[in-house]
Amino acid sequence: MPIQPQASHYIGGRYIENETGEPIDSRFPATGEVIATVRAADAAIVDQAVAAARKGYEEWSAMSGADRGRVLCAAARILRDRNEELAMLETMDTGRPLQETRVADAASAADCLEFFGGMADKIRGEQISGEEGFIYTRREPFGICAGIGAWNYPIQNAGWKAAPALACGNAMIFKPSETTPLSTLKLAEILTEAGAPDGVFNVIQGRGKTGQLLAEHPGVEKVSFTGSVPTGLKVNASAASQLKHTTMELGGKSPLIVYDDADIESAVIGALLGNFYSTGQVCTNCTRVYVHETVMDQFLAQLSEMTRRIRIGDPRDPETQMGPLVSDTQLAAVMSYIEAGKAEGAHLFLGGGRPALPGLEDGSFIEPTIFTGVRDEMRIAREEIFGPVMCVMSFAGDEEVIERANNTAFGLAAGVFTKDLRRAHRTADRLQAGICWINNFNVYTVQPPFGGFKKSGIGRENGFAAIEYYSQVKTVFVHLEPLAPAY
Ligand code: TXE
């Protein structure tokens, strides 16, 4: 499969190039080599995408929910058939190992398309009794939704946004991150192949400026964004200035609480998955691990042993468990946090350097890193690092740890390990987070809602809840009797 796409943008069911757009290179993060170049969309391309999406929307929204659902389910099947090829493309673009991209990317987009494909003909309103008649509500599409994605899970991001948006009858224009522009073009091709009318799902490339043009375009009715909190605040402000609806999936600094009665081996596995999967580039990651002081030694001993076993290397090798970070820029950002941790007096327990990998010297690899002796006020314990850097902190009491866990501006996810059912649910009840895991971490399916409290987001993706964020309610009053004279 050629990695260089036919053209940069996919608009109105076909590839479109704009020769004058700023070139953007996509690199294979394990070697740094350029694997493709796309060009950023300017205002004219954004206008073209909006016009195509409007046409697509008119046709798509007039189709029955059942027909729309069939298209989404057909797209899910094609994604699954092509999973191996799409996994390799995602590995080349993101640097994440094949072990992950085979299960968490196109496959997750397929799950989501299937879930919302099945729901497209089941979107319901209410019926309310009224005087001399009745009232009913309908859920109607907004029109054109913009999707703006992050670089960690590009096709999954696009699938999670497109599936509910399209199920509700909207059209979508998706802008992937400039760092990982490739796989969402494949999703667009596949939706066309599955029978989506031209213009229903469009992809345009570009950096923040293109994202801003899209979010501010008067023809776009809703903006769904995944990325960092600072950018999310900007995008939300742009959208709010025109009173557009938004879904914001932003960052986190999630806590994991390991009580003294926890199954320590499971807790260590949870902490590893919640810090080192995708080289730590996951928004829900439990980068603040609070371990009860009485089990700290046991926890650290197992943590150290299991971390040393992680196989770092070429992400195309099916045996590799941890690949590079997505880019040199991200590597520099994560290394600067490691330096900050050391400077602020945290103890570097493991890692902290660059692994020696023959043949991959130019890749943005980093060792899985663990700090102990971390205090809550340190930058590494407060800011989203988005790399494999775990902070382990000790605590003595339940009240204390819950208060510390909640003492953050973020509220995306949280986890607790304990064998005591009451303690588990009491803690989940108190944690200020949109997603809580009890005795596990970072396991996802598309059936439950996904999203954050506080600065971690607005709205929800996935689950029945997503329908509320990709449709608007119309109330219809029905009067069955002749009207009495009014004056
Ligand atoms: O994300 P951004 P970036 C964090 C992570 C990382 C940092 C920067 O800490 O180090 O963000 O990554 C588009 N109007 N996360 O730069 O800036 C941009 O082109 C409209 C956490 O990739 O948030 C991209 O498509 N759009 C996160 C998208 O927004 C704009 C996942 C995200 O960019 C825009 C990824 C603007 N003004 C990174 N400016 C998570 N927690 O899930 C940029 N964009």
Side-chain angles (χ1 to χ4, degrees):
M1 184 191 58
I3 287 188
Q4 174 65 40
Q6 277 178 47
S8 302
H9 318 293
Y10 192 91
I11 297 174
R14 65 196 174 93
Y15 276 98
I16 303 269
E17 192 53 275
N18 60 324
E19 301 297 344
T20 55
E22 181 210 346
I24 300 173
D25 289 337
S26 165
R27 290 174 186 274
F28 179 39
T31 59
E33 74 189 286
V34 174
I35 53 170
T37 303
V38 296
R39 289 181 176 275
D42 53 19
I45 292 284
V46 175
D47 283 344
Q48 197 179 335
V50 171
R54 182 66 54 200
K55 276 181 78 179
Y57 166 67
E58 275 156 22
E59 192 177 340
W60 184 243
S61 58
M63 283 166 60
S64 71
D67 283 344
R68 288 200 299 264
R70 276 185 207 107
V71 171
L72 301 186
C73 290
R77 276 194 298 279
I78 303 171
L79 279 167
R80 289 220 171 83
D81 289 347
R82 291 175 56 181
N83 189 47
E84 192 58 25
E85 160 213 336
L86 294 167
M88 184 53 93
L89 182 66
E90 208 69 305
T91 287
M92 296 297 294
D93 215 9
T94 63
R96 291 181 27 248
L98 263 187
Q99 277 195 7
E100 293 188 8
T101 54
R102 280 177 172 159
V103 296
D105 296 78
S108 174
D111 288 348
C112 199
L113 285 160
E114 218 162 47
F115 179 77
F116 287 103
M119 209 190 288
D121 62 350
K122 299 170 192 71
I123 297 168
R124 295 182 304 182
E126 298 175 80
Q127 191 258 308
I128 301 145
S129 59
E131 282 195 18
E132 299 182 331
F134 63 98
I135 302 157
Y136 65 93
T137 64
R138 299 155 50 94
R139 286 220 155 256
E140 295 190 0
F142 291 116
I144 302 177
C145 301
I148 300 176
W151 41 252
N152 49 350
Y153 293 90
I155 201 169
Q156 185 208 74
N157 254 211
W160 284 20
K161 292 186 192 305
L166 269 49
C168 290
N170 301 284
M172 175 163 270
I173 304 169
F174 190 86
K175 190 200 82 64
S177 165
E178 58 273 34
T179 313
T180 53
L182 304 178
S183 59
T184 43
L185 290 167
K186 295 289 164 197
L187 179 63
E189 277 179 33
I190 286 169
L191 277 160
T192 298
E193 189 184 332
D198 293 347
V200 167
F201 183 74
N202 311 276
V203 174
I204 60 170
Q205 309 290 350
R207 301 184 190 276
K209 184 159 175 280
T210 304
Q212 192 178 349
L213 285 170
L214 193 55
E216 291 179 351
H217 199 289
V220 168
E221 278 93 4
K222 151 137 202 164
V223 181
S224 178
F225 172 86
T226 300
S228 61
V229 172
T231 308
L233 288 171
K234 279 193 235 163
V235 176
N236 198 50
S238 304
S241 70
Q242 295 176 37
L243 226 60
K244 290 181 186 178
H245 293 255
T246 56
T247 300
M248 293 277 142
E249 291 300 341
L250 309 180
K253 192 75 193 173
S254 302
L256 174 68
I257 299 174
V258 181
Y259 284 125
D260 48 357
D261 63 352
D263 172 344
I264 297 299
E265 188 177 339
S266 292
V268 169
I269 294 168
L272 288 169
L273 285 174
N275 276 277
F276 300 146
Y277 196 76
S278 300
T279 320
Q281 302 164 114
V282 183
C283 48
T284 44
N285 271 1
C286 52
T287 45
R288 294 183 294 141
V289 179
Y290 291 98
V291 181
H292 195 275
E293 59 188 12
T294 57
V295 291
M296 181 62 94
D297 290 346
Q298 199 188 340
F299 182 88
L300 287 178
Q302 293 196 35
L303 183 67
S304 157
E305 197 210 313
M306 287 194 217
T307 304
R308 287 175 206 274
R309 276 197 247 143
I310 296 175
R311 286 192 296 272
I312 309 177
D314 190 328
R316 293 167 297 187
D317 179 346
E319 297 301 312
T320 294
Q321 295 170 322
M322 198 167 132
L325 288 163
V326 75
S327 64
D328 281 350
T329 316
Q330 192 63 12
L331 176 64
V334 176
M335 290 309 282
S336 79
Y337 273 109
I338 292 174
E339 289 312 312
K342 288 194 255 178
E344 284 184 294
H347 171 62
L348 183 61
F349 177 72
L350 214 66
R354 312 261 334 263
L357 299 166
L360 300 172
E361 290 80 3
D362 293 331
S364 29
F365 289 91
I366 184 168
E367 289 171 338
T369 298
I370 300 168
F371 278 106
T372 54
V374 179
R375 291 191 313 276
D376 292 345
E377 67 274 17
M378 291 179 180
R379 276 184 66 208
I380 51 169
R382 281 188 294 112
E383 298 177 19
E384 184 177 43
I385 300 176
F386 231 57
V389 182
M390 184 190 308
C391 294
V392 182
M393 291 161 282
S394 88
F395 71 92
D398 294 19
E399 276 304 312
E400 170 212 331
V401 75
I402 292 170
E403 194 189 315
R404 288 169 66 193
N406 286 335
N407 188 14
T408 166
F410 298 106
L412 187 52
V416 53
F417 276 83
T418 171
K419 289 187 193 130
D420 180 335
L421 261 177
R422 274 186 299 179
R423 204 177 189 188
H425 292 288
R426 204 167 51 225
T427 305
D429 174 60
R430 299 274 309 281
L431 288 169
Q432 295 164 358
I435 304 149
C436 291
W437 281 285
I438 295 175
N439 293 330
N440 208 342
F441 208 89
N442 265 3
V443 281
Y444 293 111
T445 62
V446 298
Q447 289 79 14
F450 178 92
F453 283 13
K454 301 200 271 187
K455 284 220 168 54
S456 290
I458 298 175
R460 292 293 177 268
E461 299 197 306
N462 292 340
F464 289 103
I467 297 296
E468 288 169 32
Y469 296 97
Y470 285 97
S471 61
Q472 52 193 338
V473 178
K474 178 183 279 176
T475 304
V476 181
F477 289 84
V478 183
H479 196 88
L480 296 172
E481 301 302 329
L483 295 189
Y487 302 103

